[in-house]
Amino acid sequence: MEPILFYDIPSHVRGCVWSPNTWKTRYSLNYKGLPYTTVWVEYPDIAPLSKKIGAAPTDKAPDGTPQYTLPAIYDPNTKTTVSDSAVIARYLDKTYPDKPTLIPPEADALHAAFNEAFRAALMPDLLQIMLPATHAQLRAKSDKYFRATRETRFGAKLEEFAPVGSEKRERHWKGIEQALDTFAQWLSAGGQEKLFFLGDRISYADMTVAGFLVWIKIVLGEDSKEWQDVLKWNDGRWARFMDAFTKYSAVDVGTDVEL
Amino acid sequence: MEPILFYDIPSHVRGCVWSPNTWKTRYSLNYKGLPYTTVWVEYPDIAPLSKKIGAAPTDKAPDGTPQYTLPAIYDPNTKTTVSDSAVIARYLDKTYPDKPTLIPPEADALHAAFNEAFRAALMPDLLQIMLPATHAQLRAKSDKYFRATRETRFGAKLEEFAPVGSEKRERHWKGIEQALDTFAQWLSAGGQEKLFFLGDRISYADMTVAGFLVWIKIVLGEDSKEWQDVLKWNDGRWARFMDAFTKYSAVDVGTDVEL
């Protein structure tokens, strides 16, 4: 088969891949063992690219304007463009049923519910810490766009979100710890501790968690106090969890998008 | 086997069983076809009963005081007391593995996540409408207790929650419609509309939804405009869904608790 084109967001360090939402698709492609090429797209190019390749908007602004986000893929084998990591996962399962399944059909409704619960538990605190840190990693072309959109959305300067050393930052970090506690509780709901959401095999729910954890690891750094905290929380559960993703973490060199 | 004792909350109409949380357990017992006897417990008796039978508290008040809730069961066959409808479901699956499964082990972590997402989407609006209506159905012994605890919790008189005909009530009702829309979206996440969360068989996630829908039906009444709305929403999906629960809806006469 021809390689799938996988649209991801670059940083100023080649190979330093950070976007949690595109990581979900990268894990999906790697887990299924499908050939693909990464195409790097700076923030201001996401909407023009999406329109060009026919990727559906994934959200709406409060005023109704369609919003385009990555990941998106173009699969030359079926001439299909798909956006939104969960929709991509379902497309890949349907199109390549002989490869390992990301979302077993009997678990798809629960996966959708999981996604809501996951976001509600983690996002409010995580974004406050991760958006400013991510901004520092972006190339010049994305820098201004990212700052303007995020500062408008949250009504504050990136520098005020969660300054290093502030009480605010500590509170948000505590919130992240509590969210991971909640996930650990879900994973133990059946009375014994599971490593993955479906038990002993990885599914898309795990890729969602891993995508957001790897964001912390990549952007704050492996040696950061924060990442070292994560590895210790819940008796080292997340260290064991992330170890299982090592073999699905390959990043190709890719090419820059041409519009 | 000896009948399980199932502790439920009565109303002033015998057989008018309303509590959404105890309905989850009633559906669980009926679905598994296990023999049981209902024991009716008025609100002020829930804590003394729970302590007497050794039921674990299911929550904590903001000041740390343990909170006891129903459902709880006592299974004389294993001499085990269990509280909390999800914990009861898991106990029944474990203890009676030859009966139909409520929470398949591979889906237990996702069921736990579902429960959070379900509550977050539905509860804020549903409680505003249903708590005052439920209060009107309680027997004298529970009446004051229910009013006092709920009014303290929400900081308003029950009569002010969502008065019939008010704009507030309409807003909350709209919120409930949106929550059911969300559940319908989850159920269609895989690309085709499923009736139940695991596809074509009922699981505990469905009993959660059904327990809260039957609350509306019983307390507001089958002929109410609200229940008729529910039956029409999402192309009649919830009417079909609730039809499937008819055969698991038996209510025995039971006995009043003796303390």
Side-chain angles (χ1 to χ4, degrees):
Chain A
M1 65 179 278
E2 279 187 73
I4 290 168
L5 298 184
F6 163 45
Y7 299 94
D8 196 354
I9 304 164
S11 72
H12 60 58
V13 187
R14 270 276 176 193
C16 162
V17 178
W18 61 272
S19 160
N21 289 310
T22 64
W23 262 109
K24 291 185 257 172
T25 295
R26 187 174 294 279
Y27 285 137
S28 299
L29 291 163
N30 286 339
Y31 182 72
K32 286 185 103 75
L34 294 167
Y36 67 93
T37 307
T38 305
V39 181
W40 302 104
V41 188
E42 297 288 349
Y43 269 100
D45 293 335
I46 294 176
L49 165 81
S50 299
K51 288 174 196 166
K52 185 184 158 196
I53 64 173
T58 52
D59 208 350
K60 260 192 283 197
D63 68 357
T65 320
Q67 302 282 293
Y68 297 92
T69 59
L70 295 185
I73 62 165
Y74 173 72
D75 184 346
N77 306 286
T78 61
K79 301 195 174 17
T80 307
T81 301
V82 193
S83 52
D84 182 302
S85 58
V87 182
I88 292 171
R90 292 188 169 98
Y91 164 82
L92 295 175
D93 277 343
K94 211 165 157 180
T95 311
Y96 302 102
D98 53 324
K99 303 289 184 180
T101 307
L102 301 166
I103 306 179
E106 68 279 12
D108 57 11
L110 290 176
H111 259 80
F114 159 83
N115 197 47
E116 293 291 317
F118 171 83
R119 297 190 73 84
L122 185 62
M123 287 304 105
D125 289 303
L126 189 68
L127 292 180
Q128 295 293 318
I129 289 185
M130 295 307 298
L131 293 180
T134 298
H135 176 256
Q137 307 254 349
L138 297 177
R139 292 196 224 161
K141 192 169 180 185
S142 284
D143 180 311
K144 262 195 200 153
Y145 180 94
F146 188 88
R147 177 185 283 279
T149 50
R150 273 55 182 176
E151 291 187 345
T152 302
R153 184 163 144 208
F154 290 94
K157 300 284 289 173
L158 283 173
E159 287 71 13
E160 294 160 6
F161 279 27
V164 174
S166 68
E167 203 221 311
K168 219 172 173 184
R169 189 181 184 88
E170 266 191 42
R171 208 171 54 238
H172 290 306
W173 191 245
K174 189 76 199 157
I176 293 170
E177 182 178 7
Q178 281 164 354
L180 292 188
D181 269 352
T182 299
F183 305 155
Q185 279 166 32
W186 295 345
L187 285 160
S188 302
Q192 55 195 29
E193 195 178 295
K194 284 181 176 182
L195 190 52
F196 304 119
F197 273 88
L198 296 184
D200 41 20
R201 51 149 299 196
I202 287 176
S203 74
Y204 181 71
D206 306 298
M207 295 176 188
T208 303
V209 178
F212 282 86
L213 290 185
V214 82
W215 190 21
I216 300 175
K217 177 179 165 182
I218 299 267
V219 169
L220 301 186
E222 279 199 68
D223 299 328
S224 65
K225 149 122 184 28
E226 284 92 346
W227 183 246
Q228 293 303 316
D229 276 357
V230 171
L231 296 181
K232 272 177 243 144
W233 287 341
N234 302 116
D235 296 322
R237 156 195 284 282
W238 306 111
R240 294 192 296 282
F241 178 81
M242 291 307 286
D243 276 350
F245 280 88
T246 308
K247 61 179 158 192
Y248 307 119
S249 299
V251 177
D252 62 326
V253 174
T255 57
D256 285 338
V257 73
E258 282 175 37
L259 283 173
Chain B
M1 65 179 279
E2 278 188 73
I4 290 168
L5 298 183
F6 164 45
Y7 298 95
D8 196 353
I9 304 164
S11 73
H12 61 58
V13 186
R14 269 277 176 191
C16 161
V17 179
W18 61 271
S19 161
N21 290 309
T22 64
W23 262 110
K24 291 185 256 172
T25 296
R26 186 174 295 279
Y27 285 137
S28 299
L29 291 163
N30 286 339
Y31 182 74
K32 285 185 105 73
L34 294 167
Y36 68 92
T37 307
T38 305
V39 181
W40 302 105
V41 188
E42 296 288 348
Y43 269 100
D45 294 336
I46 294 175
L49 165 81
S50 299
K51 289 176 194 164
K52 185 183 156 196
I53 64 173
T58 51
D59 207 350
K60 259 193 282 197
D63 67 358
T65 320
Q67 302 281 295
Y68 298 92
T69 59
L70 295 185
I73 61 164
Y74 173 72
D75 184 347
N77 306 287
T78 61
K79 300 194 173 23
T80 308
T81 301
V82 193
S83 52
D84 184 302
S85 58
V87 183
I88 293 170
R90 291 186 169 99
Y91 164 81
L92 295 175
D93 277 343
K94 210 165 159 180
T95 311
Y96 302 102
D98 52 325
K99 303 292 185 178
T101 307
L102 301 166
I103 307 179
E106 68 279 11
D108 57 12
L110 290 176
H111 259 80
F114 159 83
N115 197 47
E116 293 292 318
F118 171 83
R119 297 191 71 85
L122 184 62
M123 287 304 104
D125 290 301
L126 189 68
L127 292 179
Q128 296 294 318
I129 289 185
M130 295 307 298
L131 292 180
T134 298
H135 176 255
Q137 307 254 350
L138 298 176
R139 292 196 223 160
K141 194 168 178 186
S142 284
D143 180 312
K144 262 194 199 152
Y145 179 94
F146 188 88
R147 176 184 285 278
T149 50
R150 272 55 180 177
E151 291 187 345
T152 302
R153 185 164 143 207
F154 290 94
K157 300 284 290 175
L158 284 173
E159 287 71 12
E160 295 159 7
F161 278 28
V164 175
S166 68
E167 203 221 311
K168 218 171 173 184
R169 188 183 184 88
E170 266 190 43
R171 207 170 56 239
H172 290 308
W173 191 244
K174 190 76 198 155
I176 293 170
E177 182 178 7
Q178 281 164 354
L180 291 187
D181 269 353
T182 299
F183 306 155
Q185 277 167 32
W186 295 345
L187 285 160
S188 301
Q192 54 193 31
E193 195 179 294
K194 285 180 174 184
L195 191 52
F196 305 120
F197 274 87
L198 296 184
D200 40 20
R201 51 148 300 196
I202 287 177
S203 75
Y204 181 71
D206 306 298
M207 294 177 190
T208 303
V209 178
F212 282 85
L213 290 184
V214 81
W215 190 20
I216 300 175
K217 177 179 164 181
I218 299 268
V219 169
L220 302 185
E222 279 199 69
D223 299 328
S224 64
K225 151 127 183 23
E226 285 92 347
W227 183 247
Q228 293 304 315
D229 276 356
V230 171
L231 296 182
K232 270 176 244 145
W233 287 341
N234 302 116
D235 296 321
R237 157 194 283 282
W238 307 110
R240 295 193 295 282
F241 178 82
M242 291 307 286
D243 277 349
F245 280 89
T246 307
K247 62 178 159 193
Y248 307 118
S249 299
V251 177
D252 62 324
V253 173
T255 56
D256 284 338
V257 73
E258 282 176 35
L259 285 172

